[in-house]
Amino acid sequence: MADQPFNDFVPAEMRKFAEQSVQQAKKAFDDLMTATQKAVSTFEGHASSAQATALELQRKVVGYSERNVGASLEFAQKLLQAKAPEEVMKLHADYVKAQMQALGEQARDIAQHAAKAATPPGRG
């Protein structure tokens, strides 16, 4: 049993269903991001200069959200291809480490942008 591949513990039908689910989630997310970007672009066309900073912040948040969901979907796909429990644990540790770093950087960037937006013109 110790020599048995990790994949043998997951029935082929279940693995196939999980892979299809990940692909469907990816497509749905891509469609959502496309629609969101179109909506933001349309809104930008009607925005005044006073709204430009808020729109830039909105674009950052949408971009970060897109990257974070993409990383989660990529992680799920890698998990489906894992061959051993040790590989699953390493994938999870690497994912958590990368996400924590990314989220920290994103939070700092958004906080800096928000502080800049809150600064009255002529003072920043």
Side-chain angles (χ1 to χ4, degrees), residues 11-30:
E13 300 83 24
M14 189 178 226
R15 179 169 293 284
K16 184 176 178 183
F17 176 74
E19 288 172 356
Q20 289 173 341
S21 295
V22 169
Q23 289 303 319
Q24 288 173 347
K26 257 184 159 172
K27 180 169 180 356
F29 177 71
D30 288 344

Side-chain angles (χ1 to χ4, degrees), residues 43 46-56 117 121:
F43 184 67
H46 300 290
S48 68
S49 60
Q51 296 169 320
T53 303
L55 288 173
E56 185 178 341

Side-chain angles (χ1 to χ4, degrees), residues 1-9 83-86:
M1 182 159 165
D3 295 337
Q4 191 174 16
F6 186 67
N7 286 343
D8 290 351
F9 293 108
K83 305 264 188 263
E86 296 80 17

Side-chain angles (χ1 to χ4, degrees), residues 29-30 32-34 36-37 59-73 106:
F29 177 71
D30 288 344
L32 173 66
M33 290 288 58
T34 299
T36 301
Q37 289 168 351
R59 278 194 302 273
K60 284 180 180 281
V61 170
V62 168
Y64 289 148
S65 298
E66 185 175 6
R67 277 186 255 162
N68 294 338
V69 171
S72 296
L73 291 171
Q106 293 166 11

Side-chain angles (χ1 to χ4, degrees), residues 69-121:
V69 171
S72 296
L73 291 171
E74 182 180 330
F75 171 61
Q77 205 158 28
K78 286 179 182 179
L79 282 179
L80 290 172
Q81 298 167 357
K83 305 264 188 263
E86 296 80 17
E87 188 177 355
V88 170
M89 291 171 56
K90 181 176 181 349
L91 286 168
H92 183 261
D94 291 348
Y95 170 75
V96 169
K97 181 180 176 184
Q99 282 304 102
M100 293 304 291
Q101 182 178 356
L103 291 173
E105 291 169 3
Q106 293 166 11
R108 279 190 296 280
D109 186 40
I110 289 171
Q112 288 173 352
H113 190 79
K116 180 180 166 185
T119 304

